[in-house]
Amino acid sequence: QQQVKQSPQSLIVQKGGISIINCAYENTAFDYFPWYQQFPGKGPALLIAIRPDVSEKKEGRFTISFNKSAKQFSLHIMDSQPGDSATYFCAASILNTGNQFYFGTGTSLTVIP
Amino acid sequence: KAGVTQTPRYLIKTRGQQVTLSCSPISGHRSVSWYQQTPGQGLQFLFEYFSETQRNKGNFPGRFSGRQFSNSRSEMNVSTLELGDSALYLCASSLAPVYNEQFFGPGTRLTVL
C-alpha cells in the first residue's frame, strides 16, 4: 500500500514556466514532508522540507504548499530551468520515530529550453 | 566534508548467491538508513541503524539484513538472491534518528542474473 501518492508521473515544462508536482498522504501522524531531487546516477538530494504547522515554505525558486485538512502537499518550481530536469520525490515521516521515510513514486521533470 | 560513500557502485550476482553492500556515513553522522529503489516500487525503506542497533525495519523478508559498526559504518546483506532483488540500494545518513535531514549516497546498483 502506497502511503504517499505522487502525481504526475512525468512533466514537461517550458523554460521559465512553473512546474507543479502534487502529493497526497493518508497517515495523519506524518509530521515531516521533504522533497528530494535526483539526477541520473546520483542519490536523492534534499531540496526543501515542511512541517504541518505552516501552510507554505519558500526557498529560492522552490515552494512547498501544504494543506493539512486535505492531506496534500505540492512542490512549485518557479521560473523552471533546464538544469531542473530531474526526478523529484516527495516523502513523509513521523519525526519521533526516526528516519523511516515513505516516498512517493517520483515525477520525471523535463524542462525544455 | 565528504559525503556518504557506498561500495561497490555496481555489482552483478546470480540467483541464489548472497551479497554484502557497504556504506560509510558522513563524518559525525550516527544514523544510517537503507532504501531499495526500483522503477516499479520507487524508494522503499529497508532498515535504520543507530548506535549499532536496528531502530526501524521496513517490510522486507528476512533475507535482507544489516548491521552497524562502532564507527557508524554500515553493511547490508542479501542472502539467496532473487531476480527481483535487482535494484539500486541507497544508504542515507543523518546526525541522529530525530534529525530527519538525511543525506543519500550514490547507491549500489545490484543486478541479479
Side-chain angles (χ1 to χ4, degrees):
Chain A
Q1 183 185 3
Q2 194 72 30
Q3 296 237 18
V4 178
K5 296 182 180 178
Q6 184 173 346
S7 63
Q9 188 174 353
S10 62
L11 184 60
I12 299 174
V13 173
Q14 293 277 357
K15 178 182 175 182
I18 302 173
S19 304
I20 301 174
I21 305 171
N22 301 299
C23 285
Y25 64 96
E26 287 299 322
N27 188 346
T28 55
F30 287 145
D31 56 4
Y32 179 72
F33 302 89
W35 284 89
Y36 280 82
Q37 178 190 57
Q38 185 177 28
F39 292 103
K42 305 284 188 182
L46 178 65
L47 201 57
I48 186 173
I50 197 169
R51 296 189 185 177
D53 52 344
V54 296
S55 60
E56 186 175 281
K57 183 174 182 180
K58 186 176 182 178
E59 289 184 3
R61 296 184 294 109
F62 301 92
T63 300
I64 299 179
S65 296
F66 186 83
N67 186 329
K68 189 173 181 178
S69 61
K71 294 185 286 186
Q72 295 176 347
F73 58 110
S74 60
L75 175 69
H76 296 234
I77 305 174
M78 312 301 288
D79 187 27
S80 298
Q81 300 296 312
D84 297 331
S85 298
T87 300
Y88 293 81
F89 293 93
C90 61
S93 72
I94 303 170
L95 276 170
N96 289 336
T97 63
N99 289 326
Q100 182 168 0
F101 282 20
Y102 297 88
F103 281 87
T105 49
T107 296
S108 175
L109 171 66
T110 302
V111 181
I112 300 171
Chain B
K1 203 173 194 180
V4 177
T5 58
Q6 292 187 245
T7 56
R9 291 293 311 278
Y10 302 91
L11 208 48
I12 299 175
K13 292 286 187 179
T14 56
R15 286 172 56 190
Q17 287 186 310
Q18 75 166 19
V19 66
T20 299
L21 312 181
S22 180
C23 170
S24 293
I26 292 172
S27 177
H29 286 195
R30 297 167 61 199
S31 173
V32 173
S33 299
W34 288 89
Y35 290 82
Q36 181 194 65
Q37 185 175 21
T38 59
Q41 299 294 321
L43 285 108
Q44 292 190 293
F45 174 80
L46 281 155
F47 26 66
E48 177 191 13
Y49 286 88
F50 176 71
S51 293
E52 302 177 64
T53 301
Q54 186 179 91
R55 293 193 80 249
N56 287 300
K57 189 178 191 305
N59 190 25
F60 278 82
R63 299 185 297 107
F64 291 82
S65 63
R67 60 177 176 168
Q68 186 180 35
F69 302 95
S70 58
N71 62 358
S72 296
R73 191 177 70 83
S74 177
E75 288 181 347
M76 69 163 280
N77 183 276
V78 187
S79 62
T80 320
L81 284 166
E82 301 177 0
L83 296 178
D85 296 334
S86 294
L88 181 67
Y89 289 89
L90 292 160
C91 167
S93 76
S94 67
L95 283 168
V98 296
Y99 287 85
N100 289 84
E101 184 169 358
Q102 295 192 80
F103 297 84
F104 282 83
T108 294
R109 172 73 63 185
L110 172 65
T111 302
V112 182
L113 302 176

